[in-house]
């Protein structure tokens, strides 16, 4: 007797979110090619017949089971993440993705660039703009902190990653290691959340096995930068008042890498 193959179809009827169908398809396709035992290969996506303001996404159904973060499960999960991060490659050698991806409802800015500081700054600005638009109440303090962060802290903490002989490699990563869309990013071990699998303890374990990006001394500050918490922004601004000028090390661009003419500060 043949075993039934179950599928799931998602319908998108809000025209603003039509690109999500393609993003989900391309993201799952890319990830399942690297870790096929831990990702669901998609089947297809498309528009409604004669109606391009609605879309659908079709994939295989895979039943999920509760995840218990015991040592054995975390070890298996860590092995899967290492495989995804260390064996995936960027088709252009740059940071980005070939189609717009999403972080929840907001679209991400994933245009190709070799400059990680610029890539991250573009996404930071886009995320802030979306958040303030959704809240309907502009947070003047947050806006001011972000502008100072972009001017001083982003160059201070991210430019050294690609200068002085130091390098970072673009790698495929999953949005939230469960149901996000993929983008090509890097310095993944600095992604940290206080709850869930990607908590500080797990990230520290990942960093021990995979390694921290150089300069290692900036690791915790990069964690704080990526976390985007107001108190951490204030701390970083107080700790690095001189921005990139306060970095005591070689800032010669590594190899063929050159900082984009459109600097991270002006993006």
């Amino acid at each position: 007797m043949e075993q039934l193959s179950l599928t799931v179809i998602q319908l998108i009827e809000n025209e603003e979110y039509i690109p999500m169908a393609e993003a989900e398809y391309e993201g799952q396709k890319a990830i399942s090619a690297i870790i096929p035992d831990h990702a669901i290969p998609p089947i297809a996506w498309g528009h409604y017949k004669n109606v391009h303001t609605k879309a659908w996404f079709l994939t295989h159904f895979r039943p999920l089971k509760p995840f218990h973060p015991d040592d054995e499960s975390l070890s298996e999960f860590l092995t899967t993440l290492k495989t995804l991060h260390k064996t995936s490659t960027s088709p252009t050698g740059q940071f980005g993705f070939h189609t717009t991806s999403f972080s929840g409802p907001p679209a991400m800015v994933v245009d190709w660039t070799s400059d990680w500081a610029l890539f991250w700054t573009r996404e930071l600005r886009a995320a802030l703009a979306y958040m303030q638009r959704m809240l309907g109440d502009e947070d003047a303090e947050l806006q001011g902190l972000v502008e100072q962060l972009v001017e001083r802290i982003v160059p201070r903490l991210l430019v050294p990653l690609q200068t002085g002989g130091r390098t970072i490699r673009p790698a495929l990563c999953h949005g939230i290691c469960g149901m996000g869309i993929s983008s090509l990013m890097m310095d993944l071990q600095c992604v940290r959340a206080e709850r869930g699998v990607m908590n500080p303890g797990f990230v520290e374990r990942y960093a021990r096995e995979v390694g921290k990006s150089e300069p290692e001394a900036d690791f915790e500050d990069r964690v704080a930068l990526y976390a985007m918490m107001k108190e951490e922004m204030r701390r970083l601004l107080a700790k690095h008042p001189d921005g990139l000028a306060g970095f005591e090390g070689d800032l010669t661009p590594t190899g063929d890498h050159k900082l984009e003419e459109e600097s991270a500060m002006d993006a």
Side-chain angles (χ1 to χ4, degrees):
M1 182 177 179
E2 292 186 5
Q3 185 175 1
L4 293 177
S5 177
L6 301 179
T7 59
V8 175
I9 186 168
Q10 297 176 347
L11 306 179
I12 302 176
E13 298 188 341
N14 185 325
E15 186 174 3
E16 179 182 357
Y17 300 135
I18 294 299
M20 283 186 175
E22 180 181 11
E24 186 73 22
Y25 176 83
E26 293 295 338
Q28 285 196 16
K29 179 181 176 182
I31 290 176
S32 62
I34 304 297
I35 48 172
D37 293 334
H38 298 276
I40 304 172
I43 299 173
W45 80 276
H47 296 94
Y48 282 29
K49 185 177 181 180
N50 300 324
V51 182
H52 277 211
T53 57
K54 298 180 180 180
W56 53 269
F57 166 72
L58 183 66
T59 188
H60 296 283
F61 174 79
R62 180 173 293 179
L64 301 179
K65 60 182 179 180
F67 180 82
H68 302 289
D70 52 61
D71 190 67
E72 181 179 353
S73 297
L74 287 176
S75 294
E76 181 182 357
F77 182 61
L78 176 57
T79 298
T80 301
L81 277 186
K82 287 169 61 177
T83 300
L84 178 63
H85 298 166
K86 295 180 75 67
T87 63
S88 59
T89 58
S90 166
T92 67
Q94 298 178 312
F95 305 101
F97 202 57
H98 61 277
T99 189
T100 299
S101 58
F102 290 78
S103 177
M108 300 180 68
V109 182
V110 293
D111 298 338
W112 296 107
T113 177
S114 61
D115 188 337
W116 172 242
L118 174 60
F119 182 94
W120 193 81
T121 298
R122 292 186 317 203
E123 177 54 26
L124 168 64
R125 290 189 185 280
L128 177 64
Y130 176 83
M131 181 186 69
Q132 296 201 336
R133 186 169 69 252
M134 289 298 99
L135 293 176
D137 181 21
E138 184 171 314
D139 187 330
E141 181 191 15
L142 179 59
Q143 185 70 46
L145 287 171
V146 167
E147 292 306 317
Q148 292 182 70
L149 226 66
V150 168
E151 180 181 353
R152 286 191 278 156
I153 306 305
V154 170
R156 167 61 186 83
L157 295 179
L158 302 190
V159 168
L161 290 167
Q162 296 180 284
T163 56
R166 296 171 291 270
T167 62
I168 51 176
R169 184 184 66 84
L172 196 63
C173 68
H174 205 293
I176 55 173
C177 297
M179 55 186 297
I181 306 301
S182 61
S183 295
L184 286 166
M185 298 186 178
M186 188 49 205
D187 211 16
L188 303 174
Q189 56 266 47
C190 283
V191 179
R192 174 177 291 180
E194 293 300 324
R195 297 180 296 278
V197 174
M198 298 294 277
N199 57 42
F202 179 82
V203 173
E204 288 163 8
R205 181 174 175 178
Y206 179 101
R208 285 197 304 271
E209 295 198 25
V210 178
K212 301 176 182 179
S213 300
E214 294 285 352
E216 285 193 31
D218 288 342
F219 176 75
E220 292 297 336
D221 283 348
R222 292 197 301 269
V223 169
L225 173 64
Y226 297 150
M228 284 298 296
M229 303 294 290
K230 279 186 178 180
E231 58 269 27
E232 290 293 348
M233 294 182 192
R234 299 188 191 101
R235 183 184 68 80
L236 291 173
L237 287 166
K239 182 177 179 179
H240 303 289
D242 298 325
L244 188 58
F247 179 72
E248 298 179 355
D250 187 359
L251 290 174
T252 305
T254 298
D256 295 331
H257 172 72
K258 294 182 179 180
L259 298 180
E260 300 278 347
E261 291 184 5
E262 178 189 11
S263 71
M265 293 184 289
D266 299 326

